[in-house]
Amino acid sequence: MPQVEIPKDSWSGSVTTVTLGATAADGGTRSHTITVGGHKALPFMHFEQKMAHRPLIALEIKDHRPDDWSPLLLDLWGDAANDPASWAKAAESAGADALVLWLSQNGTDGKPTTPQAAVASTKAVLQASGLPLLVFAPGQAELDNALLVPISEATTGERLVLGICEDKNYRTIAATAMANGHLISTRTPMDVNLAKQLNILVRDMGIPPDRILMDPTTGGLGYGIEYGYSVMERLRLAALQGDGNTQSPMIVTPGAEAWKTKEAKVGHDVPATWGEWLERAINWETLTAMALVESGADIIVLRHPESMRRLRAAIDELMSVPA
Amino acid sequence: MPLSGLQIYKLLPKTNCKDCGLPTCLAFAMKLAAKQMELAACPHVGAEAKAQLADASEPPVRLITLKPSAKIAGGRELKSGNETVLFRHEKTFINKPGMFLRVHDNEPIASIQARVAAVEAYSVRYVGMDLTLDGFAVQAEAPLDATRFASVVSAVRAASKRPMILIAPDAAVMSAGLKAIEGDNALIHGATAANYEAMAALAKQYHSALVACADTLDGLADLTNKIKAKGVDDLVLDPTSRQLGASLTRQTQIRRLALKKDFRPLGYPIIAFPGDAAPDQEALQAAQAIAKYAGFIVLERFAPEMVYPLLVLRENIYTDPQKPIQVLPGLYEINNPKPTDPVLVTTNFSITYFSVANEVEGAGLPAWLLIVDAEGMSVLTGWAAGKFDAERIAKAVKDSGVANKVTRHRLVVPGHVAVLSGELEEALSNWEIRVGPREAVDLPAFMKQVL
């Protein structure tokens, strides 16, 4: 019988190891920390290098009941979605590895979210759940700064992840993260060079690499996932080839992207060929996420606990191959 | 692996006879390497060189074609293989993996016929394309029964015009199935170290492709060599792992060996069986198979809510990265617009189009959506490349005849190209030019508050 020589890639670079959250011993209040990154090979190629840390799944919660989420999600979370503390508890008991508190642009009164309200929501979540926490602002550069700086100052030492750090506001967010012992999540729109450029800019500010997560952005299934998928593959290849500006662990938000699509969001007046609504929506979210796991995602932010359960079972299988 | 010009030159007569039309053998070799000429242009090349050159021109992953018998009018053909890259961004993935629904020969024939009919009728529209499954797999179940297998195969063939995969561990049973669809170019699953001789004989007799099954790469390579020696060239690989991690490892190793090492014994498409997974993991296994190198995918369940997202994922992953999917330029109506509703402008890049259309449609707002031919580029890229400028927008307004459909001439341009509004006001003097938001997601709020 012939002996097939299995080609193994050997890489000069590796992905940075990043730890989220701080326990009491390290000056925070989290019940435990989580660690991602550290890869020395492409995802799940254990026969080359045992994968250092498995991809983790965070569930997204909001500071108040959102008015633009699919009724499937709102029905599922029920009353828990009415306030961030009970939502955090529900997401933790659903089995999330971490929580993303994604702040709304407006409060329930229709006016822009105030810094006081944002700090209160963040503190409520930190009290309700011991999970490592990521806090994402609404994505309007000025408002984001106004909300994230006081949050950062009110939670010193927690090793939160502050996002979304974009080219317009990276200075403010990186500075407050460094001053208060937090991490940042940078976001660029599905482009390898823009991702590298923002990484250079935040590192020029002096923030250490082990406090940076990179969100290369994705499209949902059917709405541009192939761009996000290939950008992530290219970023990970560049990281392994030794490009220091692409070596941050990657965080992506397939939950938000998938649940934005009509296929997931809408249950009536759609073609019969789309099939049953709930299962279709869960497939839309899990398949978006699965493709991104294959292309190198380290933290996957989802919205539905059933999608999380299925994706985690898949990651278990991907991790269980002997080296 | 393709030979270089110099490697080819060494195989040529090196007489510079010019009979090929070129001044030297080296020049001819260079043309061959660039695939600009055929070897047949040289009347003097020897048989051995011919064989070597032909071998070198074989694709690293063999192309497998399945089709129903020519007697079946409108029969559908499926091509798999011929892939040349490990990552889609390097060039493109070429032949989408064939997606098959599996039926079992111990099911009631009426339920099989109903499922086959449902799949035959199923077609879902995505970005202007009609997506469907590709064929059916029939699996023989214990206790094996050749007559029953053949009758189920016949029943599926009678209800379908698509390619078939026959799955049976026993050559006598397989033979009965193949006889039932004589004339088909089917796929046989499969040959093992124990039965390959009989299976190879059937593959030859019935002009079918044959799956080689082994749980190690050594075993698989050994088996394909032995089957090839029996004269069967169209092979497919089943590395038999049904677990996600092991499948990813095996399929990556096989693809790398074929592409990077030109390792011919594993230079064939791979077949994956997500249908063997637990029901709630089938879609995830199929998703991995699509992204990571399967050439044939056998599903167990037919449910539109699973098949639709899988077909879309396959379309997305196999999109040529150099040629993004475009939508037809022109005027689109969203939520039955009236003549007083606004005209929104954007480019014909499919994702741009769908982002805008979905936001407006999802918000329930009526609008006219004017799609400009920006050669498939997004707003910013198109503007930077001069493919989405005032001239093209003005031309699209005129060509579409939208001026006759609206009474209020309001044109909303994307915020990213606010700079064009001055020129547009000149080019379209009877239009009110409004600058919209930069991102589609902000359109509904803009339309409600500003328009």
Side-chain angles (χ1 to χ4, degrees):
Chain A
M1 191 173 284
Q3 288 295 306
V4 177
E5 194 188 332
I6 292 170
K8 291 189 182 183
D9 288 336
S10 64
W11 303 99
S12 57
S14 63
V15 175
T16 309
T17 302
V18 174
T19 297
L20 288 71
T23 60
D26 295 310
T29 63
R30 304 299 76 210
S31 60
H32 65 280
T33 64
I34 55 173
T35 300
V36 292
H39 316 300
K40 293 178 174 152
L42 288 170
F44 314 108
M45 295 293 109
H46 309 290
F47 68 99
E48 293 172 343
Q49 286 283 341
K50 180 132 189 59
M51 199 168 175
H53 296 286
R54 59 180 282 151
L56 297 175
I57 306 173
L59 282 178
E60 177 186 345
I61 63 174
K62 305 286 288 181
D63 45 352
H64 60 75
R65 194 176 189 83
D67 58 10
D68 58 348
W69 277 32
S70 167
L72 291 177
L73 291 165
L74 293 175
D75 290 351
L76 171 98
W77 290 113
D79 289 342
N82 291 340
D83 78 280
S86 48
W87 202 342
K89 279 189 189 134
E92 179 169 5
S93 46
D97 295 316
L99 300 177
V100 172
L101 172 62
W102 205 324
L103 299 167
S104 311
Q105 189 162 342
N106 294 317
T108 43
D109 57 1
K111 291 178 183 157
T113 301
T114 62
Q116 294 80 358
V119 170
S121 306
T122 307
K123 286 193 154 176
V125 170
L126 286 170
Q127 270 176 9
S129 162
L131 292 178
L133 178 65
L134 304 87
V135 181
F136 285 3
Q140 306 284 331
E142 278 179 37
L143 179 62
D144 289 7
N145 289 347
L147 301 182
L148 288 173
V149 172
I151 287 172
S152 169
E153 288 167 353
T155 57
T156 300
E158 289 281 14
R159 281 185 87 92
L160 304 185
V161 176
L162 303 177
I164 300 164
C165 188
E166 296 182 273
D167 59 348
K168 285 171 229 148
N169 63 357
Y170 71 92
R171 286 174 181 278
T172 309
I173 295 174
T176 191
M178 275 191 286
N180 295 289
H182 298 306
L183 284 59
I184 58 167
S185 175
T186 63
R187 178 178 250 196
T188 44
M190 290 199 268
D191 183 285
V192 171
N193 290 322
L194 293 177
K196 285 174 65 167
Q197 193 182 353
L198 185 55
N199 201 277
I200 293 169
L201 292 172
V202 294
R203 283 175 58 178
D204 279 353
M205 302 250 327
I207 190 160
D210 70 352
R211 286 181 183 262
I212 305 172
L213 296 175
M214 161 169 81
D215 177 355
T217 318
T218 184
L221 177 61
Y223 297 84
I225 192 177
E226 67 271 33
Y227 294 87
Y229 178 89
S230 283
V231 165
M232 286 170 65
E233 283 197 329
R234 290 171 60 198
L235 283 169
R236 184 50 50 87
L237 286 165
L240 295 172
Q241 281 156 5
D243 180 344
N245 292 308
T246 58
Q247 290 174 336
S248 303
M250 291 190 279
I251 178 170
V252 274
T253 56
E257 293 302 323
W259 283 98
K260 213 159 68 176
T261 69
K262 189 169 183 179
E263 280 84 350
K265 206 171 175 180
V266 181
H268 51 86
D269 296 333
V270 298
T273 47
W274 286 15
E276 194 265 326
W277 183 19
L278 176 61
E279 185 64 18
R280 173 178 81 237
I282 287 174
N283 278 328
W284 220 264
E285 186 175 32
T286 50
L287 293 198
T288 304
M290 184 68 181
L292 303 177
V293 164
E294 303 281 355
S295 64
D298 291 290
I299 298 180
I300 301 106
V301 187
L302 298 180
R303 283 187 175 175
H304 200 294
E306 175 61 15
S307 304
M308 175 175 71
R309 195 188 63 72
R310 293 186 192 181
L311 187 68
R312 179 171 289 133
I315 295 171
D316 284 346
E317 276 196 28
L318 285 163
M319 290 301 292
S320 72
V321 183
Chain B
M1 192 171 293
L3 297 179
S4 71
L6 276 177
Q7 285 168 317
I8 295 171
Y9 174 68
K10 288 179 188 156
L11 299 170
L12 297 177
K14 300 193 267 287
T15 51
N16 298 337
C17 69
K18 302 184 180 59
D19 287 354
C20 65
L22 290 172
T24 65
C25 287
L26 183 60
F28 180 55
M30 293 300 173
K31 289 278 182 194
L32 285 180
K35 300 206 187 302
Q36 289 165 348
M37 287 184 77
E38 299 281 334
L39 183 63
C42 174
H44 312 294
V45 69
E48 194 188 333
K50 263 187 198 159
Q52 281 191 44
L53 286 167
D55 198 39
S57 66
E58 282 279 300
V61 179
R62 188 175 173 85
L63 181 70
I64 303 294
T65 305
L66 305 185
K67 53 177 190 272
S69 159
K71 285 176 282 184
I72 292 166
R76 297 239 214 145
E77 186 179 89
L78 174 75
K79 287 182 187 299
S80 179
N82 246 2
E83 299 300 329
T84 57
V85 292
L86 280 160
F87 301 100
R88 59 183 292 283
H89 64 80
E90 292 174 305
K91 193 164 179 217
T92 179
F93 291 169
I94 297 165
N95 287 307
K96 291 168 207 158
M99 285 171 54
F100 290 72
L101 182 75
R102 179 169 59 184
V103 300
H104 304 265
D105 74 346
N106 59 354
E107 295 175 68
I109 201 112
S111 95
I112 292 175
Q113 282 166 329
R115 274 201 298 157
V116 171
V119 172
E120 282 291 313
Y122 184 78
S123 168
V124 61
R125 205 159 176 79
Y126 166 70
V127 201
M129 295 178 288
D130 294 312
L131 310 181
T132 66
L133 291 182
D134 301 291
F136 297 91
V138 181
Q139 179 158 328
E141 296 294 339
L144 294 172
D145 180 337
T147 312
R148 186 183 68 194
F149 185 61
S151 69
V152 171
V153 169
S154 299
V156 173
R157 174 44 75 232
S160 167
K161 294 174 184 300
R162 295 167 207 231
M164 286 176 68
I165 300 175
L166 304 193
I167 306 172
D170 175 83
V173 175
M174 185 62 80
S175 172
L178 287 167
K179 198 163 169 39
I181 49 167
E182 195 160 7
D184 265 44
N185 296 115
L187 178 61
I188 303 176
H189 185 290
T192 62
N195 71 3
Y196 76 90
E197 287 176 308
M199 288 293 185
L202 288 174
K204 265 184 98 163
Q205 184 184 347
Y206 289 99
H207 306 285
S208 293
L210 179 58
V211 182
C213 314
D215 59 5
T216 65
L217 295 187
D218 290 344
L220 214 42
D222 185 46
L223 190 54
T224 60
N225 278 335
K226 285 176 175 160
I227 296 170
K228 207 163 154 38
K230 297 280 172 199
V232 178
D233 292 324
D234 286 338
L235 297 179
V236 171
L237 307 173
D238 181 357
T240 75
S241 35
R242 299 290 183 262
Q243 189 261 10
L244 279 166
S247 295
L248 179 64
T249 304
R250 281 285 178 263
Q251 297 188 189
T252 305
Q253 288 169 341
I254 289 170
R255 182 76 156 250
R256 278 193 198 166
L257 280 159
L259 262 47
K260 294 167 110 177
K261 301 289 174 191
D262 194 28
F263 186 68
R264 288 304 158 94
L266 297 178
Y268 303 99
I270 299 164
I271 187 166
F273 288 86
D276 286 350
D280 66 0
Q281 290 290 304
E282 180 169 5
L284 287 157
Q285 288 224 357
Q288 175 173 290
I290 288 168
K292 293 295 173 182
Y293 315 138
F296 298 90
I297 297 174
V298 179
L299 300 174
E300 183 67 24
R301 281 153 281 267
F302 172 68
E305 57 270 19
M306 179 181 84
V307 168
Y308 172 39
L310 285 173
L311 289 170
V312 170
L313 181 64
R314 181 176 71 166
E315 215 54 53
N316 289 169
I317 295 291
Y318 276 76
T319 299
D320 183 344
Q322 269 107 48
K323 282 185 230 144
I325 314 175
Q326 305 179 18
V327 292
L328 271 180
L331 191 65
Y332 291 77
E333 299 183 6
I334 297 184
N335 295 327
N336 304 314
K338 295 186 297 296
T340 47
D341 287 320
V343 182
L344 313 177
V345 174
T346 195
T347 77
N348 67 327
F349 177 41
S350 74
I351 290 167
T352 303
Y353 166 81
F354 281 102
S355 306
V356 172
N358 284 343
E359 289 297 343
V360 180
E361 196 177 335
L365 298 165
W368 304 88
L369 181 53
L370 181 63
I371 298 301
V372 177
D373 182 1
E375 298 176 19
M377 293 185 193
S378 68
V379 169
L380 266 182
T381 330
W383 172 73
K387 308 294 183 194
F388 186 58
D389 54 15
E391 196 184 329
R392 286 204 184 214
I393 295 172
K395 183 173 184 301
V397 169
K398 280 166 194 153
D399 291 352
S400 67
V402 62
N404 302 322
K405 298 196 173 172
V406 294
T407 48
R408 228 183 127 181
H409 290 181
R410 274 180 310 173
L411 196 67
V412 181
V413 298
H416 279 299
V417 291
V419 59
L420 297 180
S421 42
E423 271 180 79
L424 274 172
E425 274 160 8
E426 280 178 32
L428 299 166
S429 51
N430 51 345
W431 285 78
E432 176 192 351
I433 308 297
R434 304 290 294 268
V435 176
R438 289 170 170 237
E439 302 299 334
V441 65
D442 300 321
L443 256 176
F446 171 83
M447 292 170 72
K448 281 181 208 158
Q449 289 160 17
V450 185
L451 292 184

